Amino acid sequence: MQKIIESLVSTGQWGEHDVVLGIRAGFKCEYCDKDLLASVENYKEWQKDHIIPTSKGGADINDNIAISCKTCNVNIKSRWNPAELAEENATREDLIKIVRKYVKNRRTQMLSDICLFREIAFSE
């Protein structure tokens, strides 16, 4: 792992903190599994998200940070707080599971909406 960290940091494109978070996440969005190194478009979506938003009392520590794609972070999860559905003393993994379920449900609803929009837009 240290070799990966050093090699990526040596490119001048990565900070050590981002590499450590990326390794923990497998370089994928922790909410939808999008491979963030699969393409330029995916890489440009790389973001860090506070699992429990700082505006909702979440700490600015590694255990409260997830690697996320922009779509999940900004367009779907936003400031939604998974702690509202979690049991007391939920682990990071518990919170990630709650967010993953939330994201999946929101994506399903959004896809349904898009299908309706396409039906309307291309009905002629």
Side-chain angles (χ1 to χ4, degrees), residues 3-58:
K3 183 176 180 179
I4 295 169
I5 294 169
E6 291 171 3
S7 295
L8 286 172
V9 170
S10 75
T11 67
Q13 304 276 333
W14 292 80
E16 185 172 339
H17 185 245
D18 285 350
V19 175
V20 170
L21 294 174
I23 289 170
R24 178 180 70 189
F27 296 95
K28 294 181 179 183
C29 173
E30 293 187 74
Y31 303 147
C32 75
D33 289 326
K34 179 183 282 186
D35 183 343
L36 296 169
L37 296 180
S39 68
V40 171
E41 292 79 12
N42 288 12
Y43 175 71
K44 289 307 216 174
E45 285 205 20
W46 177 290
Q47 296 192 343
K48 293 181 276 189
D49 177 52
H50 288 92
I51 301 164
I52 299 174
T54 55
S55 64
K56 309 283 185 185

Side-chain angles (χ1 to χ4, degrees), residues 73-114:
N73 185 25
V74 175
N75 300 67
I76 297 176
K77 180 183 173 278
S78 189
R79 290 187 172 96
W80 180 75
N81 183 6
E84 294 174 1
L85 299 180
E87 294 183 14
E88 192 174 332
N89 299 319
T91 66
R92 178 183 191 281
E93 290 75 23
D94 295 335
L95 294 168
I96 293 282
K97 285 179 186 176
I98 292 168
V99 175
R100 289 175 69 89
K101 184 176 180 181
Y102 177 80
V103 165
K104 182 179 179 181
N105 291 340
R106 289 284 317 267
R107 282 179 175 267
T108 299
Q109 181 58 55
M110 293 169 89
L111 181 57
S112 177
D113 292 344
I114 291 168

